[in-house]
Amino acid sequence: MAAIFQGVGAAAALSSLPSNSFDSKNILFSPRRSFSVRKAPSFVVVRSDGTMNLDLNPKGRRAQQFIANAVATKEDSSAASSSSKPGHELLLFEALREGLEEEMERDPRVCVMGEDVGHYGGSYKVTKGLATKFGDLRVLDTPIAENSFTGMGIGAAMTGLRPVVEGMNMGFLLLAFNQISNNCGMLHYTSGGQFTIPIVIRGPGGVGRQLGAEHSQRLESYFQSVPGIQMVACSTPYNAKGLMKAALRSENPVILFEHVLLYNLKERIPDEDYICNLEEAEMVRPGEHVTILTYSRMRYHVMQAAKTLVNKGYDPEVIDIRSLKPFDLYTIGNSVKKTHRVLIVEECMRTGGIGASLTAAITENFHDYLDAPIICLSSQDVPTPYAGRLEEWTVVQPAQIVTAVEQLCQ
Amino acid sequence: MSLSHHHLNTNILPTLSATIPTPFPLVFSAPIVSFLSFIFYSPLSLPSSPPIFSPFPSSLPTRKKMATAFSPSKFAAQPFPLNTTSQNNPLTIPTTASPFLGSTRKLIRLSSSSNLNIRRRSGTVVAVSDVVKENKSKSTLNLLITKEEGLELYEDMVLGRAFEDMCAQMYYRGKMFGFVHLYNGQEAISTGFIKLLKQQDSVVSTYRDHVHALSKGVSARAVMSELFGKTTGCCRGQGGSMHMFSREHNVLGGFAFIGEGIPVATGAAFTSKYKREVLKEADCDHVTLAFFGDGTCNNGQFFECLNMAALWKLPIVFVVENNLWAIGMSHLRATSDPQIYKKGPAFGMPGVHVNGMDVLKVREVAKEAIGRARRGEGPTLVECETYRFRGHSLADPDELRDPAEKAHYAARDPITALKKYLIENSLASEADLKAIDKKIDEVVEEAVEFADESPVPPRSQLLENVFADPKGFGIGPDGQYRCEDPKFTEGTAQV
């Protein structure tokens, strides 16, 4: 589903240097060491494998201006890209597909099951072409029975396959809650470690463009208590492919949260094989004044707010936590120890969301380092309304982020 | 050990071929035909009776008759009409035909009139072989089992019974706690089905899973230790009564919520098909058995999996252990159409009803169903009429069930019946069987001793096995993975 949507201009600014000069084996610097702050308002994206993307082209300076559109349309980024740069450009859903396809080629036990994943190519085209390539049994079109086909995926995982279960919309996986909580999370434990469940459950969630309340749910808050599962959220084509591959290679059950509005993000990603560590957070923008923790779509709202903040003289450190369960308390902790102020920006509802857990975790672990109470900006506790303006007010907007930072830094 | 299925009168074929919904290939090899004839329900023994599998039941004139046969009042006293003449000897092979083999001619020819009316209301399934053997005397009967098989079946059932009785004892002595669901009375189903499986075949069960695990080959010591919560249990004490798993014997659980295991079983069957077709392991013919009860048959997961299994022709057998009661809810009060086997054809698979108190009958049906699955012909729904002699669990006072009903089924104890069959057919002597009883008693006692002496899990076991890859616990504030801390699994670190 192609859509133009609001949010952030940061994605438009991403372009990469030859990233293959840093490969994970000879990292020149530890991924967890923080970088010296650059005074120039350009964005340094440091990846957990040590590769670094510097935004050096003129487009980056244009990013300083307030850009209304969230994500570059194809025309914008094509101006920046040139075939002489290594890596290749693609959209986020294509990155997911690439990751999935590569893993399916690599391991014949990887299979996909879900509604409309086969002949239709996936409702967001993540599995387009895979059924033709790998056959109807490896890319299985299931009937509309989430609980049962998720359970089927779990049974297949227990007996040797590595299935990917797609929820057409994350909200539909509420129907599979029984299987996810009771079986996916628990069977490794209740079987005394005899059976592993290397399943990946993925799907788009989050608030979209007037999709209505039921299609706009954030299931990460419901699943976070289930022991035995890992949850990750992707936000860029780079980490989407990396997390998809890492999830498929992991022996643990992993839930990969995608976002409906991020599927058309464009980025240049490396040609070579890479994964993103499932348990690590991503440093998006190092800073000194305040730590902003976020994930998924809100990353772009934060980056948009960051531009305004930078104009106003603040220096926010932005971390995309990526791993929703467990939290990467090392990256987060180091940041807290540096800035002493924390702002969490999330899309979950106020009550019981990821932000609530993160607030608790930071308070428990880094209380002494905090100069101010943690501010957590979340969506309103309301079923997402259909009306466009109401929906806008449901989720956190960049202006609120700017206000919160100003409040924190008083 | 072959039955004379192949002598079956072929004029049955055209009739039965109308029973299966047309999308399915009408390949009726003799075994399938005979298998399909294990159908219940004598009310359809009328000359013009349509076959029982009709996908359009509303057009059946006999439907009303079936409804009467199932009127609640009847069921209150006797859930299924009795075959009174064979009550004392349920394994006798009667000389009358199964009433609904389709053709009337067959029925009239084969039935002995004096028993006809009673046979009509028969609750027992009559083996096809019975039809053929009407002229033979008992002594020259082609027996259903050999001596070795008979003893194996007997031993397995006695193990199940003795083990469960010991569980009850241990529970009341405070050695095990929580919810413990015993299988007394239903042994014929576990033994009848599971003893036909290979090691690589999978079994998925519910919370009433001790005996399924034992039949599949999990040692009594491992199960008893698990029940005692000891670290030597099959699941290291982490699962308990309702979560019996064994990788070695392919017991995939053990599920506490009903219906939860059926999708898992469907997944295991999917893996078998995947291995054969995608991974090209051409000889992979592993079958999965899913056991569950009558209450589960009203649950969505049941229907969803019947659909998927039939759709993709998965090598699975859905075995319904219909013991008529879901804790205190009678099957008839919970189900609009209590004949569960009929739900199979609605999804495009055969539905069979069998007397679950008769291990030999169950075994015959199981052979066909498992054979079908192995050959890639798809799933089968088998409804076994059975009964649990004890309450739902050891905490259930079992006050709702009619004592007359309990007595009726107690008289059809599968172990007593098999014993009688073995002795009457000179397959084994009293001494042989007593020796087995004694051996099993020793096995069970030894299991208890072993479990008693086994250690309780240490604190360090608390967080082991939460993740297959313990990196899933994440990175701690010090930059190290939490699992690198040796004391982490004690749960003292913060997560």
Side-chain angles (χ1 to χ4, degrees):
Chain A
M1 284 182 19
I4 309 251
F5 43 90
Q6 295 208 22
V8 186
L14 285 174
S15 60
S16 59
L17 279 186
S19 51
N20 51 15
S21 53
F22 299 98
D23 82 75
S24 52
K25 293 195 187 70
N26 51 354
I27 322 175
L28 299 182
F29 29 74
S30 151
R32 301 191 189 115
R33 202 184 302 160
S34 58
F35 289 79
S36 58
V37 176
R38 298 167 61 90
K39 297 295 176 196
S42 61
F43 299 108
V44 177
V45 178
V46 177
R47 296 184 180 142
S48 55
D49 62 357
T51 56
M52 199 165 66
N53 291 342
L54 292 173
D55 172 23
L56 292 181
N57 75 26
K59 223 162 99 37
R61 276 176 220 117
R62 189 169 61 127
Q64 293 174 41
Q65 301 147 23
F66 183 74
I67 297 180
N69 280 343
V71 171
T73 52
K74 280 192 177 168
E75 304 81 63
D76 280 350
S77 43
S78 59
S81 65
S82 66
S83 52
S84 63
K85 290 203 172 102
H88 54 288
E89 259 191 352
L90 40 52
L91 306 179
L92 195 145
F93 75 89
E94 290 168 349
L96 287 166
R97 182 180 13 169
E98 219 176 68
L100 185 51
E101 196 172 345
E102 285 174 17
E103 290 302 302
M104 285 179 83
E105 280 166 7
R106 189 172 160 267
D107 186 344
R109 298 170 301 163
V110 178
C111 56
V112 185
M113 7 181 126
E115 295 155 10
D116 274 330
V117 296
H119 294 187
Y120 195 77
S123 54
Y124 293 92
K125 299 294 173 250
V126 173
T127 48
K128 187 171 180 188
L130 297 185
T132 327
K133 184 170 176 184
F134 295 109
D136 277 348
L137 206 57
R138 274 192 88 179
V139 187
L140 186 73
D141 278 321
T142 61
I144 306 175
E146 277 80 5
N147 200 17
S148 294
F149 70 69
T150 305
M152 195 172 95
I154 292 167
M158 285 167 79
T159 43
L161 300 187
R162 304 187 74 95
V164 177
V165 171
E166 173 174 311
M168 189 185 274
N169 183 284
M170 265 292 169
F172 301 166
L173 293 181
L174 285 173
L175 291 150
F177 211 123
N178 180 7
Q179 293 291 338
I180 294 174
S181 170
N182 281 336
N183 288 349
C184 188
M186 293 195 193
L187 287 188
H188 184 70
Y189 191 79
T190 54
S191 68
Q194 292 181 82
F195 290 98
T196 56
I197 307 177
I199 193 175
V200 175
I201 298 175
R202 51 159 291 268
V207 176
R209 291 290 270 178
Q210 300 188 247
L211 299 180
E214 292 180 18
H215 283 83
S216 311
Q217 298 192 69
R218 281 79 73 195
L219 256 52
E220 52 267 25
S221 47
Y222 305 154
F223 288 138
Q224 62 177 323
S225 277
V226 178
I229 57 166
Q230 279 186 256
M231 305 198 305
V232 287
C234 62
S235 49
T236 66
Y238 181 84
N239 64 33
K241 179 175 175 186
L243 290 173
M244 169 71 94
K245 295 184 79 150
L248 283 165
R249 294 185 194 181
S250 170
E251 294 303 314
N252 297 334
V254 178
I255 305 185
L256 170 58
F257 290 91
E258 303 153 13
H259 197 287
V260 278
L261 294 183
L262 298 184
Y263 278 127
N264 284 335
L265 281 182
K266 194 168 199 179
E267 190 183 357
R268 182 171 286 272
I269 65 171
D271 288 327
E272 68 270 11
D273 199 43
Y274 70 92
I275 62 165
C276 287
N277 202 331
L278 288 175
E279 296 89 25
E280 281 181 16
E282 183 179 319
M283 176 71 72
V284 182
R285 180 192 189 281
E288 290 286 320
H289 291 161
V290 59
T291 299
I292 307 182
L293 302 172
T294 183
Y295 67 94
S296 192
R297 181 203 174 193
M298 287 296 121
R299 167 183 172 145
Y300 297 95
H301 281 205
V302 167
M303 292 312 289
Q304 187 175 348
K307 282 194 281 286
T308 316
L309 287 168
V310 161
N311 284 342
K312 292 189 176 190
Y314 294 96
D315 188 18
E317 177 155 292
V318 180
I319 296 178
D320 181 340
I321 62 173
R322 256 176 24 190
S323 175
L324 306 180
K325 177 177 190 288
F327 295 132
D328 177 1
L329 287 186
Y330 184 66
T331 309
I332 294 172
N334 284 351
S335 180
V336 174
K337 289 174 189 175
K338 185 170 62 162
T339 66
H340 311 295
R341 290 176 177 81
V342 179
L343 170 66
I344 300 172
V345 180
E346 57 157 357
E347 205 175 319
C348 281
M349 301 214 207
R350 186 105 198 89
T351 307
I354 297 289
S357 297
L358 193 50
T359 307
I362 297 174
T363 312
E364 272 171 16
N365 286 293
F366 307 114
H367 182 258
D368 282 340
Y369 296 96
L370 292 171
D371 283 348
I374 302 174
I375 295 185
C376 178
L377 297 179
S378 339
S379 299
Q380 301 288 332
D381 277 324
V382 67
T384 311
Y386 167 74
R389 295 299 269 332
L390 287 179
E391 186 185 65
E392 256 177 50
W393 294 324
T394 316
V395 297
V396 179
Q397 297 296 338
Q400 292 166 274
I401 301 172
V402 171
T403 315
V405 169
E406 287 172 343
Q407 191 184 337
L408 260 183
C409 290
Q410 273 164 4
Chain B
M1 141 131 183
S2 63
L3 286 186
S4 38
H5 286 159
H6 307 278
H7 300 308
L8 191 62
N9 192 323
T10 53
N11 66 359
I12 287 171
L13 282 164
T15 324
L16 284 172
S17 66
T19 68
I20 307 298
T22 43
F24 293 82
L26 303 179
V27 176
F28 285 102
S29 59
I32 293 181
V33 172
S34 57
F35 162 71
L36 290 172
S37 65
F38 280 91
I39 302 314
F40 189 68
Y41 290 107
S42 42
L44 292 185
S45 60
L46 298 177
S48 58
S49 68
I52 200 162
F53 285 133
S54 168
F56 305 106
S58 54
S59 61
L60 284 180
T62 52
R63 196 167 157 76
K64 267 192 241 161
K65 211 178 175 81
M66 281 179 21
T68 345
F70 281 121
S71 64
S73 55
K74 255 204 176 60
F75 276 96
Q78 292 168 350
F80 288 112
L82 294 181
N83 181 348
T84 50
T85 57
S86 67
Q87 184 177 346
N88 295 325
N89 198 356
L91 290 178
T92 307
I93 298 172
T95 54
T96 56
S98 162
F100 38 82
L101 287 177
S103 162
T104 358
R105 282 174 287 140
K106 195 166 199 52
L107 180 66
I108 293 170
R109 175 166 29 100
L110 296 173
S111 65
S112 56
S113 52
S114 58
N115 283 335
L116 184 56
N117 284 338
I118 297 169
R119 291 288 165 226
R120 280 221 177 120
R121 308 177 129 253
S122 162
T124 57
V125 169
V126 177
V128 167
S129 51
D130 310 342
V131 175
V132 181
K133 291 172 197 133
E134 81 269 16
N135 291 325
K136 300 183 185 167
S137 64
K138 258 197 242 173
S139 57
T140 59
L141 278 173
N142 220 348
L143 292 173
L144 293 171
I145 46 173
T146 64
K147 175 176 183 174
E148 289 74 36
E149 287 165 351
L151 292 179
E152 187 195 2
L153 297 179
Y154 183 78
E155 185 172 332
D156 194 53
M157 290 207 287
V158 169
L159 173 61
R161 181 68 61 87
F163 189 92
E164 298 291 70
D165 284 339
M166 184 60 80
C167 279
Q169 256 196 61
M170 293 296 115
Y171 188 85
Y172 294 127
R173 284 197 205 171
K175 299 284 184 76
M176 58 178 90
F177 300 92
F179 293 127
V180 179
H181 308 82
L182 299 183
Y183 201 72
N184 298 49
Q186 302 182 194
E187 296 88 357
I189 302 174
S190 179
T191 301
F193 269 94
I194 300 181
K195 282 304 169 195
L196 292 171
L197 294 181
K198 304 186 290 198
Q199 174 137 5
Q200 305 94 321
D201 295 325
S202 303
V203 164
V204 175
S205 179
T206 58
Y207 42 73
R208 207 177 295 281
D209 56 350
H210 307 168
V211 180
H212 293 136
L214 292 171
S215 291
K216 192 68 172 53
V218 183
S219 70
R221 320 168 121 196
V223 181
M224 192 59 86
S225 296
E226 183 61 31
L227 291 169
F228 281 31
K230 301 295 178 83
T231 194
T232 48
C234 55
C235 301
R236 306 180 81 203
Q238 290 164 191
S241 167
M242 299 185 279
H243 302 281
M244 293 290 168
F245 288 82
S246 167
R247 172 141 228 145
E248 188 193 339
H249 298 281
N250 288 299
V251 177
L252 301 182
F255 293 91
F257 288 17
I258 60 154
E260 222 174 31
I262 308 177
V264 174
T266 311
F270 179 80
T271 301
S272 174
K273 185 181 169 86
Y274 189 97
K275 280 185 179 161
R276 184 149 47 176
E277 295 182 15
V278 176
L279 301 180
K280 306 289 185 223
E281 293 173 24
D283 53 351
C284 178
D285 60 353
H286 304 158
V287 165
T288 307
L289 299 185
F291 291 92
F292 47 92
D294 44 287
T296 310
C297 296
N298 293 325
N299 188 277
Q301 286 166 109
F302 169 63
F303 298 110
E304 289 173 3
C305 290
L306 283 185
N307 178 42
M308 292 197 291
L311 185 63
W312 298 316
K313 285 203 157 55
L314 300 182
I316 185 171
V317 182
F318 297 100
V319 184
V320 182
E321 296 170 325
N322 184 352
N323 58 23
L324 302 174
W325 292 89
I327 308 187
M329 189 64 167
S330 152
H331 176 56
L332 304 165
R333 288 184 68 221
T335 317
S336 56
D337 185 346
Q339 294 172 284
I340 299 170
Y341 70 92
K342 281 190 346 187
K343 300 177 189 184
F347 288 92
M349 69 178 82
V352 191
H353 180 289
V354 68
N355 175 5
M357 307 303 272
D358 178 344
V359 66
L360 298 179
K361 292 193 176 121
V362 171
R363 192 176 154 91
E364 291 311 302
V365 170
K367 262 202 214 143
E368 295 287 0
I370 293 171
R372 241 178 79 81
R374 274 206 216 289
R375 289 187 298 270
E377 290 162 23
T380 314
L381 176 65
V382 181
E383 177 185 357
C384 305
E385 173 199 348
T386 185
Y387 203 75
R388 49 171 166 82
F389 293 159
R390 289 180 179 266
H392 165 74
S393 73
L394 289 173
D396 173 19
D398 195 17
E399 290 158 347
L400 272 182
R401 302 192 298 176
D402 187 4
E405 182 189 86
K406 295 190 207 180
H408 162 58
Y409 282 98
R412 290 165 64 186
D413 187 329
I415 296 178
T416 325
L418 180 63
K419 187 168 181 171
K420 197 149 191 166
Y421 180 86
L422 292 173
I423 292 176
E424 284 181 1
N425 290 292
S426 311
L427 285 173
S429 65
E430 278 273 1
D432 290 336
L433 301 180
K434 274 208 165 31
I436 291 179
D437 289 343
K438 188 162 179 303
K439 173 181 161 197
I440 293 298
D441 280 341
E442 281 167 18
V443 164
V444 172
E445 288 212 15
E446 196 270 328
V448 172
E449 269 172 35
F450 175 79
D452 259 336
E453 288 160 16
S454 294
V456 266
R459 177 102 201 224
S460 58
Q461 197 181 309
L462 180 62
L463 296 184
E464 288 174 10
N465 306 135
V466 175
F467 286 107
D469 177 1
K471 297 218 296 280
F473 282 111
I475 303 171
D478 58 357
Q480 281 207 307
Y481 274 98
R482 290 200 174 83
C483 56
E484 291 169 27
D485 172 4
K487 296 192 83 180
F488 172 67
T489 57
E490 293 179 16
T492 46
Q494 278 185 339
V495 182

